[in-house]
């Protein structure tokens, strides 16, 4: 088998593993949220406030097991396919989470949310078509050489400083108020997790093919980075899920996490190096399409929009320039408007009321009739009752 054929086969294997991972992770979000809700109903100290009693909830552990399986499949996908293709497919977990949130957690999913789901699938398809099909790193030695590049060293330092400052300064002050605090920690650490998974996956793949990479110390360093980053990610992700709405946490986490991973992968693995201009543009357009879908999925989730109450196709009759509207609501819920000409009202008033009746004041009670309305001194009747 030629190198290109082997890379294409590995690409398809990685694609299937990435899709399966998204399904597992999407379901795990719902189960973990249910476990946190069950725990919150029993005690006063929530997970977002430092409580750890959710560890006794079996439903939370079920979600944790599914997330572990999903992350395992995702880890295996990095061994076969480029990180810039595997990571964006996490948008499918957003769709799974949104649909199940609407069904199980009773969180709303209107017509705009459904359109957002469609855009996520469309964007994922476009990204898969234009994603790089060739591996740029085939051994741990290749990875070490790329890690020594100045561009990656600067990127790694920026991500590390951002994570440390956010954990020790912003989390205690703004963690319960702004969802971006927890998401920033998870995303910056997640970029290191993905690059570590890619490195260890490459080592496993090379070992299976006959070149043992577990004799190299860098393999164990990458494995340690993965373990530490995953533990910290889970901790802050649990706090985010417990404090904020699932439909808000999931998409924002996806956008930040994927953006950092694509940037880090482009710098470290140089997966865009052999891509044409059209493939790069198509890849970025697919990613932006996914972001647009996620925005529609969540920005308008509280609006009651469905196929039944969409605007009518036919144009309503023109409203007269002068007139007032008497509105009545029919059985079908549609407002029926009747227009009354203001000029007719003015003419009716002028015919039934004299200037003297309008301008005079009642000086004594004798001018009032039985109905409490003063009779017109010129016509002997009450113009108000006549109207």
């Amino acid at each position: 088998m030629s190198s290109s054929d082997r890379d294409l086969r590995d690409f398809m294997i990685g694609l299937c593993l990435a899709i399966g991972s998204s399904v597992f992770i999407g379901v795990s979000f719902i189960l973990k949220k249910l476990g946190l809700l069950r725990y919150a109903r029993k005690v006063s100290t929530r997970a977002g406030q430092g409580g750890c009693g959710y560890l006794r909830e079996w439903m939370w552990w079920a979600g944790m097991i599914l997330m572990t399986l999903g992350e395992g499949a995702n880890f295996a996908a990095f061994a076969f396919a480029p990180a810039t293709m595997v990571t964006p497919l996490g948008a499918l977990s957003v769709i799974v989470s949104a649909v199940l949130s609407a069904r199980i957690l009773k969180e709303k999913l209107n017509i705009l949310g459904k359109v957002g789901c469609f855009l996520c699938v469309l964007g994922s398809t476009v990204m898969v078509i234009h994603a790089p099909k060739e591996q740029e790193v085939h051994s741990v030695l290749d990875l070490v050489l790329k890690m020594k590049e100045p561009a990656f060293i600067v990127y790694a330092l920026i991500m590390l400083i951002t994570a440390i400052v956010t954990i020790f300064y912003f989390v205690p002050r703004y963690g319960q108020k702004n969802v971006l605090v927890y998401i920033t920690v998870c995303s910056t650490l997640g970029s290191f997790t993905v690059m570590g998974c890619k490195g260890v996956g490459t080592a496993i793949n090379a070992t299976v093919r006959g070149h043992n990479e577990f004799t190299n110390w860098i393999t164990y360093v990458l494995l340690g980075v993965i373990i530490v980053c995953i533990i910290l990610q889970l901790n802050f992700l649990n706090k985010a899920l417990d404090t904020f709405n699932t439909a808000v946490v999931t998409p924002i986490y996806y956008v930040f996490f994927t953006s950092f991973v694509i940037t880090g992968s482009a710098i470290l693995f140089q997966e865009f190096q052999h891509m044409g201009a059209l493939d790069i543009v198509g890849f970025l357009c697919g990613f932006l399409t996914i972001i647009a879908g996620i925005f529609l999925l969540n920005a308008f989730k509280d609006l009651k929009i469905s196929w039944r109450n969409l605007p009518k196709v036919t144009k309503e009759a023109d409203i007269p320039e002068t007139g007032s509207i008497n509105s009545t609501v029919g059985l079908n819920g549609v407002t029926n408007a009747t227009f009354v000409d203001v000029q007719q009202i003015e003419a009716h008033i002028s015919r039934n009321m004299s200037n003297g009746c309008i301008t005079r004041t009642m000086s004594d009670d004798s001018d009032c009739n039985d109905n409490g309305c003063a009779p017109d001194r010129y016509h002997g009747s009450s113009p108000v009752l006549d109207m």
Side-chain angles (χ1 to χ4, degrees):
M1 182 180 295
S2 63
S3 177
S4 59
D5 292 337
R6 184 172 63 250
D7 287 342
L8 181 59
R9 182 200 63 185
D10 292 345
F11 178 84
M12 298 305 297
I13 295 175
L15 176 62
C16 295
L17 290 172
I19 294 175
S21 170
S22 298
V23 175
F24 287 142
I25 293 175
V27 177
S28 72
F29 274 115
I30 304 303
L31 293 179
K32 291 173 68 176
K33 181 67 175 183
L34 289 174
L36 292 172
L37 291 176
R38 285 165 57 93
Y39 168 69
R41 287 193 294 265
K42 296 178 181 178
V43 297
S44 58
T45 304
R46 299 170 63 92
Q49 300 172 347
C52 297
Y54 60 86
L55 296 176
R56 295 190 296 268
E57 292 291 336
W58 68 268
M59 190 169 293
W60 185 88
W61 280 108
M64 191 64 190
I65 292 174
L66 279 182
M67 177 167 282
T68 303
L69 292 176
E71 293 294 346
N74 197 50
F75 174 82
F78 285 115
F80 294 96
T84 52
M85 190 278 295
V86 175
T87 304
L89 288 180
L92 299 179
S93 67
V94 177
I95 297 175
V96 174
S97 177
V99 173
L100 294 180
S101 295
R103 297 291 182 180
I104 299 176
L105 300 179
K106 306 303 179 182
E107 296 177 2
K108 299 178 181 178
L109 182 64
N110 54 25
I111 185 63
L112 293 179
K114 296 175 182 178
V115 173
C117 292
F118 172 77
L119 289 178
C120 289
V121 175
L122 180 63
S124 299
T125 304
V126 173
M127 291 188 70
V128 170
I129 292 174
H130 294 282
K133 306 297 189 299
E134 298 178 356
Q135 294 278 13
E136 299 296 334
V137 176
H138 294 88
S139 65
V140 176
L141 180 61
D142 294 339
L143 180 61
V144 172
L145 294 176
K146 291 183 180 298
M147 290 175 64
K148 294 180 180 180
E149 294 290 333
F152 174 73
I153 294 176
V154 172
Y155 172 80
L157 288 176
I158 292 175
M159 292 293 100
L160 184 61
I161 293 173
T162 301
I164 294 174
V165 172
T166 305
I167 290 173
F168 292 101
Y169 180 80
F170 289 100
V171 167
R173 292 170 175 82
Y174 308 105
Q176 297 291 322
K177 301 176 182 178
N178 195 327
V179 66
L180 295 180
V181 176
Y182 292 133
I183 297 302
T184 300
V185 176
C186 295
S187 301
T188 52
L189 295 176
S191 62
F192 290 109
T193 303
V194 168
M195 287 181 282
C197 290
K198 178 66 177 178
V200 175
T202 301
I204 294 174
N205 200 359
T207 302
V208 171
R209 291 175 178 174
H211 189 275
N212 188 7
E213 293 288 357
F214 283 90
T215 59
N216 196 330
W217 62 271
I218 192 64
T219 302
Y220 298 96
V221 172
L222 294 174
L223 187 60
V225 169
I226 293 172
I227 295 173
V228 173
C229 291
I230 286 178
I231 293 174
L232 293 175
Q233 277 182 264
L234 292 176
N235 179 41
F236 289 102
L237 185 59
N238 283 332
K239 293 182 178 181
L241 288 172
D242 183 65
T243 306
F244 303 99
N245 195 317
T246 305
V248 174
V249 173
T250 306
I252 296 179
Y253 177 55
Y254 167 79
V255 173
F256 274 65
F257 176 74
T258 307
S259 299
F260 289 155
V261 169
I262 290 177
T263 303
S265 298
I267 295 174
L268 177 60
F269 301 112
Q270 301 176 5
E271 294 172 340
F272 292 144
Q273 185 175 2
H274 300 295
M275 290 177 61
L278 291 178
D279 286 333
I280 294 176
V281 172
F283 182 86
L284 295 178
C285 288
F287 180 56
L288 294 176
T289 302
I290 295 175
I291 293 178
I294 292 175
F295 176 77
L296 288 178
L297 185 62
N298 295 273
F300 306 103
K301 63 184 181 64
D302 292 329
L303 297 180
K304 296 181 180 179
I305 301 176
S306 61
W307 289 110
R308 295 181 179 181
N309 59 8
L310 288 177
K312 293 183 178 180
V313 178
T314 58
K315 186 178 180 181
E316 298 291 345
D318 293 335
I319 301 176
E321 295 183 359
T322 59
S324 59
I325 303 177
N326 295 328
S327 300
T328 59
V329 180
L331 295 177
N332 57 358
V334 180
T335 302
N336 300 319
T338 304
F339 300 97
V340 180
D341 195 347
V342 175
Q343 295 179 353
Q344 296 179 359
I345 299 177
E346 294 176 349
H348 182 77
I349 293 175
S350 63
R351 286 195 305 268
N352 292 277
M353 299 183 68
S354 63
N355 292 333
C357 178
I358 296 174
T359 58
R360 74 184 180 90
T361 58
M362 291 186 295
S363 59
D364 50 34
D365 296 336
S366 61
D367 289 336
C368 295
N369 57 20
D370 296 336
N371 295 319
C373 298
D376 182 39
R377 68 175 63 179
Y378 299 100
H379 298 90
S381 62
S382 173
V384 178
L385 294 179
D386 290 342
M387 291 179 59

